[in-house]
Amino acid sequence: MHCFRKVTDDLYWVGANDHRLALFENIHPISRGVSYNSYLLLDKKTVLFDTVDWSVCRQFLENVQGVLNGRTLDYLVINHMEPDHGASIEEILIRYPKVKIISTEKSFLIMHQFGFKIDDNIEQVVEGDTKSFGKHVVTFVAAPMVHWPEAMVTFDTTNGVLFAADAFGSFGALDGKLFNDEVDFKRDWIDEARRYYTNIVGKYGPHVQLLLKKASTIDIKMICPLHGPVWRSDLGYFLDKYDRQL
Ligand SMILES: [Fe+2]
Ligand SMILES: [Fe+2]
Protein backbone atom coordinates (compact mmCIF):
# COMPACT_ATOMS: atom_id res chain seq x y z
CA MET A 1 0.00 0.00 0.00
CA HIS A 2 1.38 3.40 -0.89
CA CYS A 3 2.24 6.04 1.69
CA PHE A 4 3.19 9.46 0.37
CA ARG A 5 2.70 13.10 1.32
CA LYS A 6 2.26 16.35 -0.52
CA VAL A 7 5.16 18.78 -0.12
CA THR A 8 3.85 21.50 -2.44
CA ASP A 9 0.99 21.59 -4.97
CA ASP A 10 2.85 19.34 -7.38
CA LEU A 11 5.70 17.87 -5.33
CA TYR A 12 5.34 14.70 -3.24
CA TRP A 13 7.44 12.96 -0.63
CA VAL A 14 7.69 9.33 -1.74
CA GLY A 15 10.36 8.12 0.69
CA ALA A 16 10.12 5.57 3.47
CA ASN A 17 11.13 5.02 7.09
CA ASP A 18 13.33 2.30 8.52
CA HIS A 19 12.85 1.19 12.13
CA ARG A 20 14.64 -2.12 11.83
CA LEU A 21 18.20 -0.92 11.37
CA ALA A 22 20.16 -0.65 14.62
CA LEU A 23 23.29 1.01 13.24
CA PHE A 24 23.37 3.48 10.34
CA GLU A 25 26.32 2.61 8.09
CA ASN A 26 26.95 -0.14 10.65
CA ILE A 27 28.43 2.48 13.01
CA HIS A 28 25.94 5.09 14.21
CA PRO A 29 23.12 3.99 16.58
CA ILE A 30 19.69 5.03 15.30
CA SER A 31 17.31 4.06 18.10
CA ARG A 32 14.65 6.33 16.54
CA GLY A 33 15.15 4.92 13.05
CA VAL A 34 15.91 6.88 9.93
CA SER A 35 14.01 8.16 6.91
CA TYR A 36 15.17 7.85 3.33
CA ASN A 37 13.57 10.77 1.53
CA SER A 38 12.77 10.89 -2.15
CA TYR A 39 10.61 13.46 -3.93
CA LEU A 40 8.45 13.23 -7.03
CA LEU A 41 7.48 16.28 -9.10
CA LEU A 42 4.42 16.15 -11.34
CA ASP A 43 5.03 18.79 -13.99
CA LYS A 44 4.60 18.54 -17.75
CA LYS A 45 7.33 15.97 -17.24
CA THR A 46 7.50 13.73 -14.16
CA VAL A 47 10.70 13.99 -12.16
CA LEU A 48 11.96 11.85 -9.29
CA PHE A 49 14.65 13.33 -7.05
CA ASP A 50 16.92 10.55 -5.71
CA THR A 51 15.92 7.04 -4.70
CA VAL A 52 16.13 5.18 -1.37
CA ASP A 53 17.97 2.46 0.49
CA TRP A 54 17.37 -1.09 -0.68
CA SER A 55 15.75 -1.98 2.66
CA VAL A 56 12.74 0.26 1.92
CA CYS A 57 12.71 -0.08 -1.87
CA ARG A 58 9.40 -1.94 -2.07
CA GLN A 59 7.51 0.74 -0.16
CA PHE A 60 9.24 3.42 -2.23
CA LEU A 61 8.21 1.83 -5.54
CA GLU A 62 4.59 1.63 -4.39
CA ASN A 63 4.75 5.30 -3.42
CA VAL A 64 6.18 6.33 -6.79
CA GLN A 65 3.57 4.30 -8.63
CA GLY A 66 0.83 5.74 -6.43
CA VAL A 67 1.79 9.36 -7.11
CA LEU A 68 2.36 8.78 -10.83
CA ASN A 69 -1.16 7.34 -10.98
CA GLY A 70 -0.73 5.87 -14.45
CA ARG A 71 1.80 8.37 -15.79
CA THR A 72 5.30 7.23 -16.68
CA LEU A 73 8.49 8.57 -15.13
CA ASP A 74 10.40 10.92 -17.44
CA TYR A 75 13.40 11.97 -15.33
CA LEU A 76 15.37 10.76 -12.32
CA VAL A 77 17.68 13.37 -10.79
CA ILE A 78 20.45 11.78 -8.73
CA ASN A 79 22.03 14.24 -6.34
CA HIS A 80 23.96 11.66 -4.33
CA MET A 81 25.09 8.13 -5.14
CA GLU A 82 25.72 6.69 -1.68
CA PRO A 83 23.80 3.39 -1.52
CA ASP A 84 21.24 4.66 1.01
CA HIS A 85 19.97 6.86 -1.86
CA GLY A 86 21.21 5.24 -5.05
CA ALA A 87 20.51 1.57 -4.34
CA SER A 88 17.07 1.55 -5.95
CA ILE A 89 18.04 3.13 -9.29
CA GLU A 90 17.97 -0.19 -11.14
CA GLU A 91 14.49 -0.98 -9.81
CA ILE A 92 13.31 2.34 -11.21
CA LEU A 93 14.95 1.52 -14.56
CA ILE A 94 13.21 -1.87 -14.69
CA ARG A 95 9.81 -0.20 -14.24
CA TYR A 96 10.46 2.96 -16.26
CA PRO A 97 13.08 1.92 -18.87
CA LYS A 98 12.89 5.16 -20.83
CA VAL A 99 13.62 7.38 -17.81
CA LYS A 100 16.49 9.84 -18.30
CA ILE A 101 18.87 9.97 -15.36
CA ILE A 102 20.23 13.47 -14.72
CA SER A 103 23.43 13.58 -12.70
CA THR A 104 27.13 14.42 -12.60
CA GLU A 105 29.97 12.72 -14.45
CA LYS A 106 31.27 11.26 -11.17
CA SER A 107 27.83 9.90 -10.28
CA PHE A 108 27.62 8.07 -13.60
CA LEU A 109 31.10 6.68 -13.00
CA ILE A 110 29.91 5.30 -9.65
CA MET A 111 26.73 3.89 -11.23
CA HIS A 112 28.89 2.05 -13.75
CA GLN A 113 31.12 0.79 -10.95
CA PHE A 114 28.02 -0.48 -9.15
CA GLY A 115 27.20 -2.40 -12.33
CA PHE A 116 24.06 -0.44 -13.23
CA LYS A 117 23.09 -0.68 -16.91
CA ILE A 118 22.45 2.99 -17.58
CA ASP A 119 24.12 3.76 -20.92
CA ASP A 120 20.86 4.56 -22.72
CA ASN A 121 19.53 6.70 -19.88
CA ILE A 122 22.30 9.24 -19.18
CA GLU A 123 21.86 13.01 -19.21
CA GLN A 124 25.02 14.51 -17.73
CA VAL A 125 24.99 17.96 -16.14
CA VAL A 126 27.55 20.33 -14.66
CA GLU A 127 27.23 23.18 -12.21
CA GLY A 128 25.10 26.01 -13.51
CA ASP A 129 23.19 23.90 -16.04
CA THR A 130 19.44 24.42 -16.01
CA LYS A 131 16.62 22.14 -17.05
CA SER A 132 12.96 22.88 -17.64
CA PHE A 133 10.37 20.25 -16.83
CA GLY A 134 7.42 22.42 -17.89
CA LYS A 135 6.48 24.98 -15.27
CA HIS A 136 9.50 24.18 -13.12
CA VAL A 137 13.04 25.17 -14.04
CA VAL A 138 15.83 23.73 -11.92
CA THR A 139 19.51 24.52 -11.70
CA PHE A 140 22.23 22.15 -10.60
CA VAL A 141 24.85 23.13 -8.03
CA ALA A 142 27.96 21.04 -7.40
CA ALA A 143 28.48 20.06 -3.76
CA PRO A 144 31.72 18.07 -3.89
CA MET A 145 32.63 16.25 -0.67
CA VAL A 146 29.29 17.00 0.99
CA HIS A 147 30.11 14.28 1.84
CA TRP A 148 30.94 12.20 -1.23
CA PRO A 149 32.86 13.49 -4.28
CA GLU A 150 29.98 13.24 -6.76
CA ALA A 151 27.38 15.12 -4.72
CA MET A 152 25.31 17.94 -6.13
CA VAL A 153 22.19 19.76 -4.99
CA THR A 154 19.31 20.83 -7.22
CA PHE A 155 17.50 24.13 -6.83
CA ASP A 156 14.01 24.64 -8.23
CA THR A 157 14.03 28.29 -9.32
CA THR A 158 10.25 28.25 -9.81
CA ASN A 159 9.25 27.63 -6.19
CA GLY A 160 12.50 27.97 -4.21
CA VAL A 161 12.78 24.28 -3.24
CA LEU A 162 16.31 23.05 -2.60
CA PHE A 163 16.92 19.32 -3.00
CA ALA A 164 19.84 19.28 -0.61
CA ALA A 165 21.21 15.71 -0.84
CA ASP A 166 22.75 14.69 2.51
CA ALA A 167 23.20 18.27 3.72
CA PHE A 168 20.66 19.62 6.27
CA GLY A 169 19.39 16.18 7.31
CA SER A 170 18.77 14.36 10.56
CA PHE A 171 18.61 10.85 11.97
CA GLY A 172 15.15 9.74 13.14
CA ALA A 173 12.20 8.24 11.28
CA LEU A 174 9.49 10.67 10.20
CA ASP A 175 6.51 8.46 11.02
CA GLY A 176 3.88 10.58 9.34
CA LYS A 177 5.17 13.99 10.28
CA LEU A 178 7.08 15.48 7.38
CA PHE A 179 7.68 19.18 8.01
CA ASN A 180 9.81 20.91 10.62
CA ASP A 181 6.74 22.83 11.80
CA GLU A 182 4.85 19.59 12.48
CA VAL A 183 7.36 18.58 15.15
CA ASP A 184 8.95 20.27 18.12
CA PHE A 185 12.35 20.37 16.47
CA LYS A 186 14.14 22.18 19.27
CA ARG A 187 12.84 19.67 21.82
CA ASP A 188 12.65 16.37 19.91
CA TRP A 189 14.96 16.58 16.89
CA ILE A 190 17.92 18.85 17.45
CA ASP A 191 19.99 16.17 19.22
CA GLU A 192 19.44 13.72 16.36
CA ALA A 193 20.25 16.46 13.84
CA ARG A 194 23.47 17.23 15.73
CA ARG A 195 24.45 13.56 15.80
CA TYR A 196 23.74 13.36 12.07
CA TYR A 197 25.78 16.48 11.29
CA THR A 198 28.68 15.40 13.52
CA ASN A 199 28.88 11.87 12.16
CA ILE A 200 27.90 12.28 8.52
CA VAL A 201 28.86 15.70 7.14
CA GLY A 202 30.67 17.57 9.94
CA LYS A 203 34.04 16.12 9.01
CA TYR A 204 33.67 17.94 5.72
CA GLY A 205 33.06 21.33 7.36
CA PRO A 206 34.89 23.46 4.74
CA HIS A 207 32.93 21.81 1.92
CA VAL A 208 29.66 22.42 3.74
CA GLN A 209 30.70 26.05 4.24
CA LEU A 210 31.34 26.34 0.50
CA LEU A 211 27.85 25.01 -0.19
CA LEU A 212 26.35 27.44 2.34
CA LYS A 213 28.14 30.30 0.56
CA LYS A 214 26.58 29.23 -2.74
CA ALA A 215 23.20 28.77 -1.01
CA SER A 216 23.29 32.31 0.34
CA THR A 217 23.06 33.64 -3.22
CA ILE A 218 19.76 31.89 -3.99
CA ASP A 219 16.33 32.47 -2.51
CA ILE A 220 15.65 29.18 -0.76
CA LYS A 221 12.09 28.78 0.49
CA MET A 222 12.14 25.10 1.34
CA ILE A 223 14.86 22.54 2.04
CA CYS A 224 14.17 18.93 1.06
CA PRO A 225 16.94 16.79 2.58
CA LEU A 226 17.48 13.07 2.03
CA HIS A 227 16.98 12.27 5.74
CA GLY A 228 14.68 13.83 8.33
CA PRO A 229 12.14 16.67 8.22
CA VAL A 230 11.54 19.01 5.29
CA TRP A 231 12.24 22.64 6.21
CA ARG A 232 9.47 25.00 5.11
CA SER A 233 9.71 27.61 7.87
CA ASP A 234 12.37 29.07 10.14
CA LEU A 235 15.10 28.06 7.68
CA GLY A 236 17.47 30.58 9.23
CA TYR A 237 17.44 28.66 12.52
CA PHE A 238 18.77 25.49 10.92
CA LEU A 239 21.11 27.18 8.42
CA ASP A 240 22.64 29.13 11.28
CA LYS A 241 23.35 25.87 13.16
CA TYR A 242 25.20 24.61 10.08
CA ASP A 243 26.97 27.92 9.60
CA ARG A 244 28.29 27.95 13.15
CA GLN A 245 28.62 24.16 13.35
CA LEU A 246 26.42 24.04 16.45
FE1 LIG B 1 25.48 10.19 2.03
FE1 LIG C 1 22.30 9.58 3.25
Side-chain angles (χ1 to χ4, degrees), residues 119-160:
D119 286 342
D120 297 333
N121 306 82
I122 288 176
E123 192 166 319
Q124 196 172 301
V125 291
V126 295
E127 166 140 317
D129 282 357
T130 59
K131 177 88 185 170
S132 171
F133 299 120
K135 193 175 93 176
H136 292 262
V137 178
V138 302
T139 183
F140 306 101
V141 180
M145 292 319 295
V146 181
H147 54 141
W148 267 32
E150 87 301 353
M152 69 171 186
V153 299
T154 303
F155 181 61
D156 186 333
T157 58
T158 307
N159 59 3

Side-chain angles (χ1 to χ4, degrees), residues 80 82 147 166:
H80 183 28
E82 199 164 7
H147 54 141
D166 261 345

Side-chain angles (χ1 to χ4, degrees), residues 2-95:
H2 56 237
C3 173
F4 53 76
R5 275 201 65 185
K6 233 175 182 188
V7 180
T8 68
D9 276 354
D10 49 9
L11 182 69
Y12 294 79
W13 177 88
V14 289
N17 294 290
D18 185 350
H19 277 288
R20 300 178 73 177
L21 195 66
L23 297 173
F24 189 76
E25 295 179 349
N26 220 15
I27 304 172
H28 316 295
I30 44 169
S31 56
R32 285 174 47 190
V34 68
S35 75
Y36 303 105
N37 300 340
S38 169
Y39 304 90
L40 181 52
L41 178 70
L42 299 183
D43 201 346
K44 196 170 168 206
K45 300 290 182 186
T46 57
V47 190
L48 184 63
F49 293 90
D50 294 292
T51 74
V52 297
D53 190 75
W54 183 249
S55 60
V56 294
C57 181
R58 185 172 178 155
Q59 179 67 62
F60 162 69
L61 292 169
E62 287 181 18
N63 297 347
V64 170
Q65 194 182 13
V67 172
L68 285 173
N69 195 22
R71 292 181 71 179
T72 191
L73 183 65
D74 297 307
Y75 290 99
L76 168 59
V77 175
I78 294 294
N79 289 302
H80 183 28
M81 257 315 285
E82 199 164 7
D84 57 330
H85 308 293
S88 303
I89 290 173
E90 274 203 315
E91 292 298 318
I92 289 292
L93 280 170
I94 288 168
R95 285 156 184 81

Side-chain angles (χ1 to χ4, degrees), residues 161-173:
V161 170
L162 177 70
F163 298 95
D166 261 345
F168 311 118
S170 176
F171 290 138

